[in-house]
Structures are given as C-alpha cells and as structure tokens.
Amino acid sequence: MKAQEDKKIDIEYSGFLNFDEAKFPGAKILTRDDSQQIHIVHESINMWCDKAYYYGKENFIEAYGHVKMIQGDTINMTSKYAEYSGKTQLAFASGDVVLTDPSSTIKTDTLYFDRLKQQAFYRDGGTVVKDTSGTITSKIGRYYMNQKKYQFVTDVVLVNPDATIKSNYFDFYSETGQAYLYGPSTITTEESTTYCEKGFYDTKTKIGYALKNSKINYDNRIIEGDSLYFDNNTSFASATNNIKVTDTINHSIVKGHYAEVFKAKDSVFITKHALAITVQENDSIYMHADTLMVTGKPENRITRAFRNVRLYKSDMSGKADSVHVDHAKGLTQLINISKLSNTDAFATKRKPILWNLENQMTGDTIHLISDPDTEKLDSLIVFKNAFLISKDTLDAGYNQITGQRLVGKFNDSSQLRTVDIIKNAESIYYIRNDNNELVGIDKSKSGKIKIFLEDNTIEEVRKLNQIDGKIYPEADFSEKEKIFKGFDWREEERPRSVEDLFKDDPPLVLPKIKGLDDYIPQEDFFDESMLERIEKADEEAKTDKDEEPKASRNLPQRVKYRDKSPKPKVVK
C-alpha cells in the first residue's frame, strides 16, 4: 500500500508550463495547446483537461475545463472541475458530473470517487440512468462498482415506461435490474399501485414481492397480506397469510391465508380459513368455506363458495355444501351435494339449512332473494323436500311444516312474515290461547298451506285444498305422531357468532414466510480507513505557511470537523 500511495502522478502531455509562487505556491500550472488537452496519468487512471494545477509535494492535481477521467475500460467520468490525490486515491468532481460504466450512468453536481474501495458517492441529489430499467433519482446515492450495486437514500424515485417506484431506501443492481425496497415504498403502474415497507422488484421481468404492511390496489380491489407476489405482465397477484381483499364498489371483503387475484378476469380465489363479508342493511353477512371465488366485473359480480359453507348474520345463519351469489340479481343459492344420493348419510347431513331467528328450514336447494339496491332480504324459496321446524314456545314439541316447495317473505326487520308450503303440504303446530295455554295440536294435509307469523310465532294458518286434518288434545297425541318423516332438528350445528363459523375446522398451520433480509444502513462512505489516508496526506503536506491542506478541503463539514472524542454509550 505504501508503494501505491507514493507513486507519483505523471504529466503525459501539457501544451504550456508556468509557475506562480505568489498565488499558487508549489504548483505547476499546466495549460493545453491547440493540438490536444493536458493528459495526466496515475496508475490505471487517465485524466484529460484544459488547465491543471499540479502540486508535486502533495501529489495532488486540480483540473479545470472539459475534464475527463477514465479508469481502464470500466469507468468514464466527465465534469467541469475535478481534483485527485495520488496519496489518498480519492477524486472529487463538480459541475455537470457524469460517470458512466458499461451498464449505467450517474449524473450529479458533485461526486466523490474512491479508487481504493471502487465506490462513487453523491449527497446533494443525483440521477442514475439504466437503459431499460429506467431513471433513478435520489438525494444520496452510492455506487459499489465491483458489485454493480447502487444504494440510494432519501426521496428515491425510479421511472421507466412500465412503472414508477418511490422509496426512501433502495438497493439496485445495475446488471440484473433487480431492486430491493425498504421503508414506505410504492410501485405504480397503469394497472396497479403496490405499497410495502420491505420488498423486491425485478425491473426487467416486472415481477416482485411485497412484505411488511403490503398492499396492492387493482382499481376496485385492494389486496393486503403478510406476503404478496405480483406479476405486472399479467396483472396477477398471490398473497400468503392474513389476507384481506376489499371490494370498494360492492362493499365486500374476503379474508383468508392464501389468495390469487387475476385482474384481467376480475377474479379472486381464496382459501385457508376463507371468509367473505358483505354489508346488508347495515348488518354484515359472513360466509366461510374451504374455498371462495369472486369473479366478474363489479356490475356483474359472482361469489362462489365450495365445501362446508357456513353463513352468519345477526338474525340468520345457514349451512350448505356450496353457495352461489349473484350480486346483481340479489340471489344467493344454497346448493346440495348432487353426487351423492338423498339416502346417503353424508348428503343428508350436508343438506342446505337456514335458521331465521327460531325457525329452521331445510331442502334440496335454498334461494335467498334480496333487493340489489337496498340489499334488504325480500324472500326465500326452498326447492324440493322443504321442511320448516320451530320449537313450541313452551317446549311441548316442534311445529313442523313440510312439502315440495316453501316460499317465505320477510318484513323490513328481516323476520319471516309469511310462509307458503306448496304441493303435498303437511303441518303440525301447537295451538295456544291468549294466556299461552296449549289448546291442542293441529295435524293436517293440504294442497297448500299459508302461514302468517308475528314476532316469530305462528299467528294464523290457512289451509287450501285440505285433504284431512285434526286437532288433538295433548294427551291423545302419541309420540310417533309428533314428527314427520325426514324430521332433523340440527340446532347443535347452528352458528351463533362469526367465531362459530370456524369451530369445526382443523387447526390452521400457516407457512413461515422467509421474506427478505432487513435493511442494512450504509456504512459511512467517509469511513475511518479513508479518513486515515486523508489525515496522513494532510500531515505530510504541512509547511511553515498557514495553508489549508488540499486532501481534506472538499470533505463534508460534518466529516471534516467531526468530534473525535470518545462518545458516551446510550442505553436504549
């Protein structure tokens, strides 16, 4: 190292040589001629300029006018002014500085270049141009030439034809076009805006990852999760762990722990504790299933839920194998398993079921119909094997109505107001007087039955085309007469809270996200090893005259006048 530091700067060519000890003591004043610029060499560095002051004792050069500095075939720097110390091997350039290497270009007003560490540094704003990867601006920038790596700090902005990236801490590899983002960062394209506080983006492939408070906004959908993968070529994103997808137009949310979003198809696929939340009548409806799919444009959106679907609302809950929701029509279909026969125990258990307050309804298929504008429940239809059950108010037995089809109408409070049982209607209901005393038990068969309910109790029963019927005293009503064939009281399955939707799920084990390494703050460009070089050069340059040493004169003030006394330890 000593031999390298002592190697003198060589003047390969100068048109004119002058001295002016009064103004420039110890300096050779070099000036170009008409044939060519001054040519200066130090090891692998070649420098050209129009005028130069060479201080031989300090092995220091000041260069003015159309300055060009070249290192081998890798670094080319131009500026209006530059200075270089053969002892410290630190260059300082100012005035329209442009540093280029085979893969990128730095433009700034002032630049430091350390030949020993092969690093360039600016601290008052700069621009890096990287062919197809775009243009990057920042307040502070550092280039590690051996690694082809840039480290940008404060007000970092990358702009290319496909995306704009903003961050405060940004590592960029010029050969690969790969960027690492730290702190609050955004990636904006025509299709989306991605936010994260730790992330990765490949400016060539347009693929990236977002971690830590990550979020992607696709027009009318906002995707949040612990880890987001996104491909801006196809507007596709997948998310892992603690996912939330918000539909800002239809006021709905889906949650889970794995999701895929296809913007072009307007679709969302979500699983692992999947939960859909829709606001209706200022009361949210929650739907949980093994898998949820939301597809279609906002005006024609469809939600599908598969396998072990459960619904909960403050005044209604339900279960089905599958659920299909057409938001434009306000139609929710609870669908039975079709691949198994009706006699199969599993199929019976999974038959769609609804609970409205104290009423239980089952059938092969159930439709819920709501007003698409007001989102209020309007009616329900139970297709085939319709069965309505409610407990008698004093638990004497079960009110039951069964038939081929059930049509129910809701009042403004989402309570069943009327129920029509159509075709092969049968009923059992417990008749009570105004004192709530049991008068008798009505059991009958009719072509159709219409029931009026008030405060969730049967107020009136009208039978059309009655085939037979009888009111039994309680003592004469045998146990075998008390229930119809197909009776299945499933109260123990009823979800009574959002938490109940998940009670039968297996334990959830979330994958561990490896993620990205934490941000490593820049070590100071002006580190101790550099400052030792500079202090040594200053010491060797001292004379009897009160002159400022040249090696340290362009150091930042905070570095030049730093406090060297030991600092007390701060315990946090």
Side-chain angles (χ1 to χ4, degrees):
M1 185 66 72
K2 183 75 166 61
Q4 287 182 334
E5 290 177 356
D6 287 345
K7 186 170 183 179
K8 288 290 185 179
I9 293 173
D10 293 326
I11 310 300
E12 288 289 309
Y13 180 85
S14 175
F16 304 97
L17 173 63
N18 291 296
F19 299 91
D20 188 341
E21 286 296 321
K23 291 184 178 180
F24 306 102
K28 292 179 180 180
I29 303 173
L30 313 171
T31 310
R32 68 165 295 167
D33 58 21
D34 292 338
S35 64
Q36 66 179 73
Q37 288 185 296
I38 302 159
H39 183 192
I40 302 157
V41 177
H42 185 251
E43 298 179 354
S44 62
I45 286 283
N46 283 269
M47 182 187 297
W48 291 266
C49 62
D50 294 339
K51 189 171 184 177
Y53 296 85
Y54 174 51
Y55 298 87
K57 181 181 178 183
E58 296 185 60
N59 204 19
F60 189 89
I61 196 90
E62 296 175 356
Y64 297 85
H66 303 98
V67 181
K68 182 164 65 174
M69 183 181 291
I70 295 178
Q71 175 184 273
D73 58 357
T74 57
I75 300 298
N76 188 323
M77 183 172 72
T78 61
S79 62
K80 291 180 178 178
Y81 170 78
E83 58 187 47
Y84 175 74
S85 170
K87 292 186 176 183
T88 66
Q89 300 193 53
L90 178 66
F92 170 79
S94 65
D96 298 334
V97 184
V98 178
L99 185 148
T100 61
D101 73 356
S103 60
S104 58
T105 300
I106 302 175
K107 296 180 180 180
T108 183
D109 193 58
T110 58
L111 184 76
Y112 298 89
F113 173 35
D114 185 344
R115 284 192 58 233
L116 284 183
K117 293 191 293 185
Q118 286 295 289
Q119 292 180 20
F121 174 77
Y122 63 81
R123 63 188 184 91
D124 295 311
T127 300
V128 173
V129 179
K130 172 68 176 77
D131 48 65
T132 57
S133 296
T135 300
I136 307 167
T137 57
S138 68
K139 183 177 180 182
I140 299 170
R142 189 157 169 187
Y143 184 36
Y144 299 79
M145 296 171 184
N146 293 333
Q147 299 171 257
K148 304 295 183 186
K149 171 188 173 182
Y150 285 94
Q151 194 167 46
F152 300 102
V153 177
T154 308
D155 300 332
V156 189
V157 180
L158 181 151
V159 179
N160 66 26
D162 304 304
T164 297
I165 303 175
K166 295 182 179 181
S167 182
N168 269 340
Y169 303 94
F170 186 99
D171 287 358
F172 181 76
Y173 291 84
S174 61
E175 284 192 329
T176 63
Q178 294 177 345
Y180 294 83
L181 292 70
Y182 303 93
S185 306
T186 58
I187 302 170
T188 303
T189 70
E190 285 188 11
E191 302 291 336
S192 66
T193 299
T194 302
Y195 172 88
C196 66
E197 292 172 16
K198 185 190 289 187
F200 164 82
Y201 186 66
D202 190 317
T203 58
K204 291 184 177 179
T205 64
K206 305 176 194 175
I207 291 172
Y209 295 90
L211 304 166
K212 194 176 181 184
N213 297 324
S214 52
K215 181 189 301 184
I216 300 176
N217 191 330
Y218 282 136
D219 294 338
N220 54 64
R221 278 200 180 99
I222 299 171
I223 304 105
E224 301 169 76
D226 290 355
S227 174
L228 300 178
Y229 164 85
F230 55 94
D231 183 342
N232 284 336
N233 300 286
T234 58
S235 294
F236 167 80
S238 65
T240 304
N241 293 359
N242 300 306
I243 300 153
K244 180 181 178 182
V245 181
T246 304
D247 185 327
T248 57
I249 293 179
N250 285 332
H251 310 294
S252 63
I253 297 169
V254 290
K255 294 181 177 182
H257 295 284
Y258 179 75
E260 294 180 357
V261 180
F262 300 84
K263 183 180 183 298
K265 298 179 180 179
D266 260 302
S267 69
V268 176
F269 164 91
I270 193 162
T271 187
K272 292 190 177 180
H273 272 214
L275 178 69
I277 306 168
T278 305
V279 176
Q280 284 191 350
E281 308 166 65
N282 300 316
D283 183 11
S284 294
I285 293 179
Y286 299 86
M287 180 166 61
H288 166 54
D290 179 74
T291 303
L292 288 169
M293 288 186 66
V294 184
T295 58
K297 300 291 183 183
E299 63 275 12
N300 293 305
R301 193 138 287 170
I302 301 294
T303 298
R304 297 176 178 88
F306 304 100
R307 290 182 290 280
N308 202 16
V309 186
R310 299 167 198 171
L311 301 159
Y312 172 77
K313 190 172 177 282
S314 61
D315 50 22
M316 179 177 288
S317 55
K319 292 180 69 176
D321 174 65
S322 300
V323 169
H324 183 284
V325 183
D326 186 325
H327 297 274
K329 295 180 179 178
L331 175 61
T332 300
Q333 302 176 63
L334 284 72
I335 303 166
N336 194 14
I337 291 177
S338 59
K339 64 182 179 180
L340 299 175
S341 69
N342 290 333
T343 58
D344 188 283
F346 183 72
T348 301
K349 199 69 174 175
R350 299 291 283 275
K351 183 175 286 190
I353 182 169
L354 273 181
W355 294 272
N356 174 247
L357 301 174
E358 302 307 317
N359 301 300
Q360 173 188 298
M361 288 159 281
T362 58
D364 289 359
T365 303
I366 300 175
H367 287 187
L368 278 170
I369 301 164
S370 59
D371 187 310
D373 297 322
T374 65
E375 297 181 337
K376 283 188 174 183
L377 279 172
D378 176 76
S379 56
L380 69 84
I381 303 173
V382 181
F383 297 92
K384 291 187 180 180
N385 302 307
F387 211 127
L388 185 149
I389 308 172
S390 65
K391 267 190 176 182
D392 171 59
T393 53
L394 295 180
D395 288 337
Y398 294 93
N399 298 309
Q400 302 158 61
I401 305 169
T402 181
Q404 282 301 300
R405 178 180 292 193
L406 180 154
V407 179
K409 288 285 188 178
F410 294 95
N411 61 18
D412 289 340
S413 301
S414 297
Q415 293 179 329
L416 273 175
R417 181 67 185 94
T418 63
V419 174
D420 289 302
I421 302 292
I422 302 166
K423 197 173 181 181
N424 300 330
E426 297 182 76
S427 64
I428 296 173
Y429 72 95
Y430 290 72
I431 305 170
R432 292 185 178 274
N433 61 22
D434 293 340
N435 296 321
N436 214 20
E437 297 169 336
L438 184 62
V439 175
I441 304 166
D442 183 295
K443 184 174 183 179
S444 63
K445 293 181 180 180
S446 305
K448 180 179 178 181
I449 297 176
K450 190 175 188 72
I451 302 170
F452 296 86
L453 299 99
E454 185 69 35
D455 295 328
N456 203 43
T457 58
I458 296 174
E459 186 180 61
E460 181 185 350
V461 177
R462 295 179 185 174
K463 303 166 187 174
L464 305 176
N465 301 323
Q466 182 170 339
I467 299 169
D468 62 39
K470 183 178 179 181
I471 297 176
Y472 296 85
E474 184 178 20
D476 296 341
F477 200 58
S478 64
E479 287 295 323
K480 69 178 183 178
E481 296 286 338
K482 287 186 176 181
I483 60 172
F484 288 129
K485 181 181 179 182
F487 176 91
D488 185 15
W489 182 245
R490 294 164 59 182
E491 186 67 16
E492 75 283 355
E493 299 177 43
R494 182 176 185 173
R496 293 190 174 274
S497 66
V498 177
E499 291 72 21
D500 277 356
L501 299 176
F502 302 92
K503 66 181 181 181
D504 294 331
D505 286 8
L508 181 64
V509 179
L510 298 180
K512 186 175 181 181
I513 297 171
K514 182 180 179 182
L516 301 171
D517 293 335
D518 289 335
Y519 177 70
I520 301 175
Q522 288 185 345
E523 70 280 8
D524 203 328
F525 177 79
F526 305 98
D527 60 12
E528 289 303 316
S529 64
M530 180 193 291
L531 295 177
E532 286 176 7
R533 284 184 267 150
I534 293 171
E535 288 172 3
K536 182 180 178 184
D538 281 352
E539 188 68 28
E540 292 174 351
K542 281 185 177 178
T543 64
D544 294 335
K545 299 178 182 179
D546 188 17
E547 295 178 0
E548 181 184 21
K550 296 177 179 58
S552 62
R553 66 182 179 184
N554 275 311
L555 289 177
Q557 295 295 305
R558 66 167 182 86
V559 177
K560 194 171 184 179
Y561 301 110
R562 72 195 187 286
D563 183 5
K564 299 180 184 178
S565 60
K567 292 179 173 54
K569 292 183 179 179
V570 178
V571 179
K572 294 184 180 180

